[in-house]
Amino acid sequence: MTAQEVRLCGLLLQEHFGDVVENVGTHLIRNGVLTLRALAHETKLALDLVKKSLCVLVQHGMCTFGPGRRGPAGPVEYHINCEHILHMLRYPRYIYTAKSLYGDTGELIVEEILQRGQMTMSSTVKTVADRLTHNMPEGQSMDYNEVVSAFSRLVETHFLQRCPPMASAESSGTGSAETPPAVTQPSNPESHPDCYKLPYISLSGHGKRRRSSEDGEADQRAAKKAKTDSSECGDEGIHWQVNFERFHLHFRDQAIISAVSCKLDQTSGEIVRTMLRMSEVTTSANAAFTQALSANEIFRALPSNYNIARPILDQYLTLLVDDPMEFVGKAGDSGGGMFVVNLHRALANLARATLESVVQERFGSRSARIFRLLLRKRHLEQKQVEDFAMIPAKEAKEMLYTLLSENLVQLQEIPKTPDHAPSRTFYLYTVNQLPTARLLLQHCYKTVGNLIERRLYETKENKRLLEKSQRIEAILASLQATGAEATQLTEVEEMITAPERQQLESLRHHINNACLRTCGVNRSKPTRTCKLLTEMAVEPPRAQTSDLLAVRLDSSENQVDETIFLLESYINSTQASR
Amino acid sequence: MAGMSRGRGRNQFTFNVDALGFGRGDSLPTTTHTPSPLFPPMQFQPVPLHTGEEVEYMLALKQELRASSKNLPFHIRAARTKRDVSRYSDKYQTGEPKNNTIEWSPDWSRLPKELCIKVRKPQKTITGTKQQLKQRPKVAASKEDILQKLETLEKEEVHSEEEEDEGKKKKQNDDEEEEPEVEEDYDEEELEDETDYIASYFDNGEDFGGDSDDNMDEAVY
């Protein structure tokens, strides 16, 4: 785990689960595997707090446990799963995908399971039905069967999977009679044959509407009742979790389709979408390309509202194969032509496009030209770079040296003589795509960490003013709703003092120009957000402006996460193929 | 020969001078006296953020998730550190649970046994006194019973080892059974906040009068 990843994991744990879990989590990440006692000793927390934190982490699948080095008789060791923690950044995207595919019901199911880590089917169904009923108009309620059907669809398409069962350690061998097997070890979820099998539950009813007059105690009672009821439904012990891999495959497919649509046109995008949909079940997760599909099959499987003739489809397929992006490849001639989608190559090309856009946005289009040249031609001397890029020597030199100092370009020495004399050595500039992608990924992690920290700082600094302005707005809104007089309204508005208001106005003007600059941390600028924010914040920021800032920072986090996903997929695909 | 060539080749460099980027007579770039600025001015402005319905919705989702995760039982707060004096209002102010409870019930079969925190449910204060009263005579009664049993055992037995052992075992068993009850009893007492008569309040008077000095001239440190 790199330092930036550890920092980001710590910030995410702190946001969602509090300081205690963050402390425990970061210690586990830094030290690898630890036993409970060692962890308590290192974090200097009370043992009960450490136990609670570990329960939370295991519940959410972020921590695994297993027999330690001393075998099943020894203490249990805990091992943290960093990728799972980093997936927390992407929760909104998962929920939005579920919404777009399966509607509000699917969205709420995925949201509940994500927030609680693991849930049984019956408890999920009940909670989701209650939530949906709450949002429905008076008198209607959500039937459990609809929620069950949405759940089943999610499981059939593998978006949800069963939590792996615990394989109990052999206790007969240890001979310790006083304690039952203390160590149960989880196995890989996919290895379980019933991974996607729905349990038979007897669940019928409607969602219960929560009256607004009930207070929290009633909810707690209801919640406790729900928990005890689940044991009657027949699916005890079968917990479901979100299958992140499946979501990632879906995002990858979306990225490829949108790239094809942007580069060629909508119809080509649809053709590629059809091909990917047909090969969803037959292709394994890290395959380099999909199963070969014949043009006849593709023609039959196209959606009916796309009335393209067969020869036109053939032309589109030929275009796709000839495109330099190499999304689609031809694998044979039978059945009108066998076509595959080159998944790994598509990912590599998307990553390359990301790198090129980063260089373009940070250093200008001429530096980007040099970068693309080096990507294509692999190794070039300085003189050759100047010639091929058609840039005057002095500027080309400067740009090359800037790129070199940022580690985006590397220098390769090829000596002519054994004594490596500088006058008799070739110095070649080169770009390696994979290490550069890794570098950029670390920059992205650092960016998101900076964004989170800045947002926390902003909200903390201006908590007082934020709350005050929100209260005033609420009062104003309620007064207007009840039809108050103008005098009352002005009185309330005057609660914001004049100097505050003046600063608000001036800074709102300032921020509308500067905020775009500051928060445009899309793919390029790791630490520049913070830099520009301090540059622009000459006057101390005020409530509404910092609120805007916080919103923009939030939005930036989501968008940097898209780049993170792309680069991570590319790097994982290269590792898989090795 | 190496020394002699140094004289001849004094003005030659080991590398191609043109590659440096400036000629012989040009002035060198100005030296820097300070480290480079922490936030250098940006040459190129960043790209504006994406906007759109999808982006807005995901943003709203993110904020909602963050807010709601603070209310879930998974958000663990450390117990508030004790301030200088324990105040009466602390009893009414602690919304935070005590350390040894877990607010949600996980599936304990999926977690290692050592993580299971034995939850001793504190008796509710309203019914606490009643239960305590009930239990005290119970405990007392059981103590009496045990004592009676022991006495009868002693009377009955004819000093056989087995009976002695049995008695000891019984005693031990009873003691073991008694201990958790007794412990519970004491814990209840401590958790019981109805009365002010806390065990530690009792002052046995040892400190009083021990510090009195007849010589008040000496300074008291």
Side-chain angles (χ1 to χ4, degrees):
Chain A
M1 295 310 302
T2 65
Q4 296 304 329
E5 284 176 28
V6 174
R7 174 177 168 235
L8 183 57
C9 288
L11 284 169
L12 286 171
L13 284 175
Q14 185 182 23
E15 265 203 323
H16 281 91
F17 302 128
D19 291 321
V20 175
V21 179
E22 186 245 332
N23 198 355
V24 169
T26 34
H27 272 99
L28 262 179
I29 299 176
R30 289 214 172 99
N31 290 312
V33 278
L34 281 176
T35 60
L36 179 61
R37 293 266 161 213
L39 191 55
H41 174 71
E42 290 225 8
T43 54
K44 303 190 182 15
L45 287 170
L47 193 65
D48 282 333
L49 278 179
V50 175
K51 283 185 192 176
K52 278 209 277 191
S53 322
L54 282 172
C55 285
V56 169
L57 286 173
V58 173
Q59 169 84 4
H60 281 81
M62 293 169 192
C63 176
T64 52
F65 55 91
R69 277 161 287 189
R70 296 201 207 133
V76 179
E77 284 191 345
Y78 297 92
H79 171 73
I80 214 158
N81 190 355
C82 279
E83 287 92 29
H84 251 93
I85 305 181
L86 291 174
H87 288 161
M88 277 209 274
L89 265 182
R90 224 167 278 151
Y91 279 3
R93 202 169 168 194
Y94 297 138
I95 299 172
Y96 183 74
T97 309
K99 181 190 173 82
S100 59
L101 290 174
Y102 296 109
D104 284 337
T105 324
E107 174 197 4
L108 282 180
I109 293 176
V110 171
E111 187 180 331
E112 280 296 316
I113 300 186
L114 276 174
Q115 280 208 305
R116 302 208 171 242
Q118 307 168 358
M119 278 180 96
T120 55
M121 183 165 166
S122 39
S123 50
T124 319
V125 166
K126 284 190 190 133
T127 329
V128 169
D130 288 343
R131 277 181 75 174
L132 283 169
T133 312
H134 190 68
N135 292 333
M136 281 166 127
E138 194 70 41
Q140 292 179 21
S141 70
M142 177 58 101
D143 196 18
Y144 281 176
N145 288 328
E146 289 178 40
V147 184
V148 168
S149 66
F151 195 98
S152 333
R153 267 179 291 151
L154 277 167
V155 171
E156 275 160 17
T157 45
H158 292 205
F159 281 109
L160 294 176
Q161 63 184 177
R162 281 202 203 187
C163 295
M166 296 292 151
S168 59
E170 295 123 20
S171 62
S172 53
T174 58
S176 57
E178 78 261 21
T179 46
V183 174
T184 51
Q185 198 175 5
S187 49
N188 191 15
E190 290 276 327
S191 59
H192 189 217
D194 289 338
C195 190
Y196 299 110
K197 199 168 86 161
L198 281 165
Y200 175 70
I201 57 171
S202 54
L203 193 63
S204 61
H206 297 263
K208 291 170 194 38
R209 181 178 297 278
R210 213 173 55 216
R211 301 284 160 213
S212 53
S213 54
E214 286 179 359
D215 52 40
E217 222 181 85
D219 290 339
Q220 276 178 26
R221 268 189 267 124
K224 277 187 199 156
K225 237 203 257 177
K227 275 179 211 151
T228 48
D229 280 346
S230 74
S231 54
E232 304 160 3
C233 285
D235 69 338
E236 232 184 293
I238 302 175
H239 295 265
W240 297 86
Q241 65 187 14
V242 170
N243 184 4
F244 293 116
E245 292 306 318
R246 179 68 184 88
F247 275 105
H248 293 168
L249 293 179
H250 186 257
F251 295 158
R252 180 199 67 188
D253 293 346
Q254 263 184 337
I256 295 178
I257 292 166
S258 68
V260 173
S261 309
C262 284
K263 182 127 201 260
L264 297 177
D265 76 337
Q266 184 73 8
T267 319
S268 338
E270 282 306 315
I271 294 174
V272 175
R273 191 200 299 270
T274 316
M275 289 174 76
L276 285 168
R277 200 169 23 120
M278 285 162 67
S279 41
E280 245 172 21
V281 279
T282 51
T283 317
S284 68
N286 45 11
F289 33 81
T290 61
Q291 289 270 0
L293 298 163
S294 69
N296 296 332
E297 283 174 351
I298 300 173
F299 183 64
R300 272 196 298 264
L302 273 178
S304 45
N305 49 348
Y306 268 91
N307 293 329
I308 46 177
R310 182 59 201 273
I312 311 240
L313 172 70
D314 287 336
Q315 282 180 6
Y316 266 115
L317 285 169
T318 323
L319 257 175
L320 278 168
V321 168
D322 289 336
D323 189 70
M325 275 287 194
E326 291 185 344
F327 285 117
V328 175
K330 191 156 184 185
D333 288 315
S334 57
M338 303 291 278
F339 297 95
V340 289
V341 178
N342 296 319
L343 296 165
H344 282 195
R345 213 169 296 167
L347 279 174
N349 285 330
L350 286 170
R352 185 166 53 82
T354 312
L355 295 180
E356 287 170 9
S357 91
V358 167
V359 174
Q360 181 164 339
E361 294 302 328
R362 277 179 84 175
F363 302 108
S365 51
R366 299 218 269 182
S367 306
R369 203 190 313 163
I370 293 179
F371 188 80
R372 275 196 293 268
L373 190 66
L374 284 171
L375 266 176
R376 215 144 294 198
K377 299 255 185 198
R378 309 294 178 88
H379 294 271
L380 286 175
E381 271 189 333
Q382 189 164 324
K383 190 92 181 38
Q384 285 173 310
V385 169
E386 294 162 19
D387 290 338
F388 281 126
M390 294 181 284
I391 296 175
K394 223 172 190 160
E395 289 168 29
K397 232 179 294 271
E398 224 177 278
M399 289 176 196
L400 262 177
Y401 291 163
T402 319
L403 286 176
L404 190 64
S405 68
E406 297 279 343
N407 250 331
L408 292 162
V409 158
Q410 280 87 41
L411 203 54
Q412 169 79 36
E413 297 178 2
I414 301 186
K416 290 187 224 176
T417 54
D419 63 350
H420 286 250
S423 60
R424 291 187 290 277
T425 316
F426 286 119
Y427 290 99
L428 299 177
Y429 290 96
T430 182
V431 175
N432 293 324
Q433 190 170 330
L434 186 56
T436 316
R438 283 189 214 267
L439 172 76
L440 200 60
L441 185 61
Q442 294 307 315
H443 276 325
C444 286
Y445 287 140
K446 187 174 176 186
T447 309
V448 181
N450 287 350
L451 285 168
I452 294 178
E453 283 199 3
R454 183 68 200 204
R455 177 167 45 80
L456 291 172
Y457 169 80
E458 287 289 325
T459 38
K460 195 173 68 159
E461 283 288 303
N462 301 291
K463 212 161 110 163
R464 182 192 81 85
L465 271 169
L466 253 171
E467 282 171 359
K468 181 172 179 181
S469 72
Q470 276 173 2
R471 261 204 322 269
I472 291 178
E473 277 169 21
I475 295 172
L476 271 175
S478 65
L479 277 180
Q480 276 169 351
T482 57
E485 295 170 359
T487 48
Q488 282 177 320
L489 290 172
T490 47
E491 212 180 285
V492 172
E493 280 172 357
E494 274 165 19
M495 282 166 69
I496 300 185
T497 61
E500 279 179 357
R501 191 188 297 277
Q502 199 183 33
Q503 267 164 332
L504 270 170
E505 285 305 320
S506 65
L507 270 167
R508 200 176 314 183
H509 170 74
H510 206 137
I511 208 181
N512 278 333
N513 297 335
C515 206
L516 280 179
R517 295 199 335 247
T518 59
C519 300
V521 174
N522 230 346
R523 295 164 278 269
S524 3
K525 291 136 193 76
T527 50
R528 296 245 172 112
T529 333
C530 293
K531 294 175 193 172
L532 272 174
L533 280 171
T534 51
E535 189 188 346
M536 122 172 135
V538 174
E539 300 143 76
R542 293 290 154 173
Q544 267 154 306
T545 53
S546 67
D547 203 15
L548 241 171
L549 252 183
V551 161
R552 302 270 179 140
L553 290 169
D554 251 336
S555 190
S556 312
E557 280 171 41
N558 283 344
Q559 296 184 22
V560 176
D561 177 65
E562 287 177 21
T563 314
I564 288 179
F565 170 71
L566 205 56
L567 292 172
E568 271 180 358
S569 314
Y570 165 59
I571 292 171
N572 289 338
S573 73
T574 53
Q575 282 173 347
S577 57
R578 244 170 240 163
Chain B
M1 290 227 285
M4 285 161 54
S5 72
R6 208 192 301 148
R8 266 186 286 132
R10 191 169 306 193
N11 276 342
Q12 286 175 9
F13 293 112
T14 51
F15 50 89
N16 193 5
V17 182
D18 294 334
L20 267 181
F22 56 89
R24 224 18 115 72
D26 291 346
S27 58
L28 288 165
T30 53
T31 51
T32 46
H33 300 281
T34 56
S36 52
L38 190 56
F39 299 134
M42 270 173 42
Q43 241 181 328
F44 300 97
Q45 303 309 320
V47 181
L49 289 173
H50 290 316
T51 47
E53 189 202 317
E54 198 179 302
V55 173
E56 306 282 340
Y57 191 79
M58 283 208 274
L59 185 64
L61 265 177
K62 192 187 180 79
Q63 290 171 334
E64 243 183 71
L65 274 176
R66 227 186 5 244
S68 58
S69 67
K70 299 238 181 325
N71 297 329
L72 282 177
F74 304 117
H75 192 116
I76 296 179
R77 295 179 181 84
R80 214 172 31 197
T81 53
K82 290 195 167 54
R83 287 179 297 183
D84 44 1
V85 230
S86 60
R87 293 153 203 256
Y88 180 76
S89 58
D90 280 346
K91 184 170 76 166
Y92 295 105
Q93 263 178 15
T94 51
E96 293 140 14
K98 306 210 171 72
N99 265 353
N100 58 354
T101 56
I102 196 164
E103 293 90 25
W104 47 287
S105 52
D107 189 359
W108 289 113
S109 62
R110 299 183 61 83
L111 293 169
K113 284 277 183 293
E114 61 183 5
L115 289 185
C116 187
I117 302 167
K118 292 278 181 269
V119 176
R120 235 182 256 139
K121 286 195 190 138
Q123 305 288 336
K124 285 198 188 147
T125 50
I126 307 163
T127 58
T129 42
K130 285 186 202 159
Q131 293 205 355
Q132 213 180 6
L133 287 169
K134 271 189 217 161
Q135 289 217 1
R136 274 212 193 106
K138 256 194 213 168
V139 172
S142 63
K143 272 188 195 163
E144 285 173 9
D145 285 342
I146 292 164
L147 286 172
Q148 276 181 358
K149 272 188 201 168
L150 289 173
E151 284 172 10
T152 47
L153 275 175
E154 282 179 14
K155 281 175 195 167
E156 282 176 15
E157 71 182 14
V158 196
H159 303 294
S160 59
E161 284 187 337
E162 290 175 350
E163 289 187 1
E164 276 185 7
D165 287 338
E166 272 184 1
K168 280 183 195 161
K169 277 187 200 162
K170 265 198 186 171
K171 245 201 225 172
Q172 279 174 8
N173 288 341
D174 290 336
D175 280 339
E176 278 174 10
E177 282 171 5
E178 204 185 297
E179 272 171 11
E181 283 182 29
V182 169
E183 278 177 11
E184 221 175 326
D185 207 7
Y186 284 145
D187 280 327
E188 281 172 24
E189 269 188 27
E190 287 178 357
L191 295 167
E192 173 72 50
D193 275 339
E194 276 283 325
T195 62
D196 287 334
Y197 298 127
I198 310 171
S200 57
Y201 180 75
F202 177 64
D203 188 15
N204 57 4
E206 279 179 350
D207 297 329
F208 181 72
D211 298 342
S212 66
D213 285 332
D214 293 332
N215 268 341
M216 295 309 287
D217 298 335
E218 281 182 0
V220 178
Y221 295 111

